[in-house]
Amino acid sequence: MPQLNPAPWLLFMGLSWLVFAAIVPTKVVKYIENYNPAPKNISQAKTRTWIWPWS
């Protein structure tokens, strides 16, 4: 069984790995927002009872 000739695809595989490993992550990180949640109010909201019009 003959071996594959790496000349046509080896360059493209190397360049694609270079793009995915070096260029794409830096562009994706720019769009990720830092998630800084605001502290929630500890006191609970007071709820009112529902007044049914027929009762």
Side-chain angles (χ1 to χ4, degrees), residues 11-27:
L11 177 65
F12 294 112
M13 187 184 72
L15 289 176
S16 64
W17 273 105
L18 177 68
V19 167
F20 287 127
I23 298 171
V24 172
T26 57
K27 290 189 177 287

Side-chain angles (χ1 to χ4, degrees), residues 17-47:
W17 273 105
L18 177 68
V19 167
F20 287 127
I23 298 171
V24 172
T26 57
K27 290 189 177 287
V28 171
V29 168
K30 283 197 274 187
Y31 292 106
I32 297 175
E33 296 180 16
N34 293 332
Y35 180 66
N36 295 324
K40 290 186 176 182
N41 192 0
I42 296 175
S43 65
Q44 293 186 0
K46 296 180 181 178
T47 58

